[in-house]
């Protein structure tokens, strides 16, 4: 039996199963190229803008331990992710297929950068804020990442291993602070 989520019947199990069955039976064509950000997120943003989807159900809703909230509609997430993709492509000099390491706690920018990387075709390598300097150094060398993204509080630990990274082109910081040689995401957005 299928049921709806939060009173919205868009994700009925029977619809999902029948969609996949139609693909398996070659009744639906798979797209040659698929990009979640433009093919799904932007479509939901368009529906939201046209009034066919209520912004009461946000695309993103984040709450921290102190009760601070960040809510983005699909339109807002789409717009912010386009801006973040432009930061990665422009200020950071990244191209489709380039790799980025993100050493961030789970702040809203973590999810924003995930969508921005999908949108721009950049490969995101997520890293927990608990990585050691040795872990970060290994990931930088093994991945040949051209950019590293971290928070202002984690930047000193990340900086300690950067001199050995031969592929790194840019460093992006998430937070209020600034550091020499680092670009600030909030300022660039």
């Amino acid at each position: 039996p299928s049921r709806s989520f939060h009173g919205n019947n868009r994700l009925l199990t029977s619809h999902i199963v029948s969609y996949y069955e139609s693909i398996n039976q070659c009744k639906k064509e798979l797209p040659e190229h698929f990009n979640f950000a433009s093919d799904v997120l932007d479509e939901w943003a368009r529906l939201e803008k046209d009034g066919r989807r209520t912004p009461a159900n946000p695309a993103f809703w984040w709450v921290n331990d102190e009760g601070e909230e960040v809510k983005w509609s699909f339109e807002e997430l789409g717009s912010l992710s386009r801006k973040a993709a432009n930061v990665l492509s422009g200020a950071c000099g990244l191209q489709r297929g380039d790799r980025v390491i993100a050493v961030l706690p789970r702040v809203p920018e973590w999810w924003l950068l995930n969508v921005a990387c999908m949108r721009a075709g950049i490969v995101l390598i997520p890293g927990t804020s608990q990585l050691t300097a040795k872990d970060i150094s290994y990931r930088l060398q093994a991945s040949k990442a051209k950019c590293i993204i971290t928070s202002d509080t984690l930047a000193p630990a990340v900086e300690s291993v950067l001199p050995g990274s031969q592929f790194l082109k840019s460093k992006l910081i998430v937070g209020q602070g600034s550091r020499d040689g680092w670009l600030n995401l909030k300022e660039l957005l």
Side-chain angles (χ1 to χ4, degrees):
S2 61
R3 66 182 194 94
S4 62
F5 297 92
H6 304 291
N8 190 338
N9 62 359
R10 71 182 191 286
L11 289 176
L12 292 175
T13 306
S14 60
H15 291 148
I16 294 169
V17 170
S18 65
Y19 182 77
Y20 284 111
E21 285 175 356
S22 65
I23 290 172
N24 287 333
Q25 295 169 3
C26 299
K27 293 179 183 175
K28 285 198 187 273
E29 288 193 32
L30 294 175
E32 185 178 342
H33 302 283
F34 176 79
N35 184 303
F36 174 80
S38 57
D39 294 336
V40 176
L41 178 63
D42 290 351
E43 177 63 19
W44 283 57
R46 189 183 61 73
L47 292 173
E48 193 175 78
K49 189 175 184 178
D50 293 346
R52 297 187 352 218
R53 171 157 180 71
T54 170
N57 293 325
F60 179 80
W61 190 351
W62 175 87
V63 182
N64 69 8
D65 292 339
E66 289 80 41
E68 177 189 359
E69 291 186 0
V70 173
K71 280 187 188 182
W72 293 326
S73 66
F74 284 92
E75 194 172 352
E76 290 168 324
L77 181 56
S79 174
L80 284 169
S81 67
R82 279 187 290 282
K83 288 178 182 181
N86 287 337
V87 167
L88 295 171
S89 300
C92 295
L94 301 174
Q95 299 176 1
R96 180 175 296 280
D98 284 345
R99 294 173 194 94
V100 172
I101 294 180
V103 181
L104 288 169
R106 296 307 179 253
V107 292
E109 292 84 359
W110 189 87
W111 281 275
L112 176 62
L113 288 162
N114 269 272
V115 176
C117 284
M118 285 181 225
R119 187 176 292 284
I122 295 168
V123 179
L124 179 76
I125 302 166
T128 174
S129 56
Q130 296 173 339
L131 291 176
T132 66
K134 184 178 177 182
D135 296 331
I136 295 167
S137 179
Y138 172 78
R139 283 166 173 76
L140 280 169
Q141 295 311 314
S143 69
K144 300 179 183 172
K146 292 187 178 177
C147 179
I148 190 158
I149 305 168
T150 195
S151 67
D152 46 3
T153 56
L154 296 172
V158 170
E159 267 183 343
S160 70
V161 300
L162 296 185
S165 178
Q166 61 199 39
F167 305 102
L168 202 62
K169 286 184 178 178
S170 56
K171 303 175 287 187
L172 191 61
I173 199 165
V174 172
Q176 303 301 328
S178 63
R179 297 185 72 79
D180 283 344
W182 289 76
L183 300 168
N184 185 294
L185 178 65
K186 288 186 183 199
E187 290 173 8
L188 292 169
L189 286 177

